Amino acid sequence: MIQVLFVCLGNICRSPMAEALFRHQVKQAGLAHVIAIDSAGTGDWHIGHPPHQGTRDILDKNQIDYKGMQARQVTSDDFVQFTYIVAMDESNVRNLAGFAPAPVAGEKRASIHKLLDFAPGRTNKDVPDPYYTGNFQEVYEMVEESCARLLAFIIEKEQLS
């Protein structure tokens, strides 16, 4: 099973949006039986909370299911459990380092990426946090495009076609 973890700061806006969108795209591609998706935050403020109302509104508008999603914090186990960890911005990437367990010889680790690395042509490689900006539509469009390209990357890399 290929496992993908989306990470942002609080796990209520960007990463659950990416989780829900990517799960929808994976299901549409007929790959839900081989790709599992989750999300987490580097902070612990919102553990157990549903996605932010702005995230829920934009997902509802686009008929993307987020049922049952609750915020959680990144753990050291995530680095071994997941195949790909996809962060929303450079700050998330730096914060992930604080959760990474000490290396173990021969242990396979998740590869870490930024989501907008999968959006060629974008000069800014950080997904802005709509918790602060309120720009949920703009973030949705970035995440949707990048998730589609991430899925194509995984299909090719993991030879799923």
Side-chain angles (χ1 to χ4, degrees), residues 20 24 34 36 38 60 66 68 80 84-85 106 112 118 131 139:
H24 180 79
V34 293
D38 195 6
D60 285 340
Y66 55 86
V80 179
Y84 300 94
I85 297 177
I112 298 174
F118 297 97
Y131 184 85
V139 169

Side-chain angles (χ1 to χ4, degrees), residues 32-85:
H33 64 289
V34 293
I35 301 175
I37 304 109
D38 195 6
S39 65
T42 58
D44 63 359
W45 314 281
H46 303 292
I47 292 173
H49 294 180
H52 185 281
Q53 186 64 52
T55 296
R56 294 193 313 256
D57 289 347
I58 197 77
L59 292 173
D60 285 340
K61 177 182 169 186
N62 290 281
Q63 300 177 350
I64 305 294
D65 183 34
Y66 55 86
K67 191 178 347 171
M69 290 174 57
Q70 291 186 344
R72 73 173 186 87
Q73 189 173 29
V74 171
T75 68
S76 60
D77 290 342
D78 292 333
F79 291 82
V80 179
Q81 177 184 345
F82 287 88
T83 316
Y84 300 94
I85 297 177

Side-chain angles (χ1 to χ4, degrees), residues 117-148:
D117 287 344
F118 297 97
R122 289 200 179 266
T123 53
N124 180 6
K125 294 296 184 175
D126 290 343
V127 177
D129 192 341
Y131 184 85
Y132 300 105
T133 65
N135 61 343
F136 288 90
Q137 181 64 44
E138 176 188 5
V139 169
Y140 180 89
E141 291 167 9
M142 287 179 187
V143 170
E144 182 180 41
E145 174 192 7
S146 300
C147 280

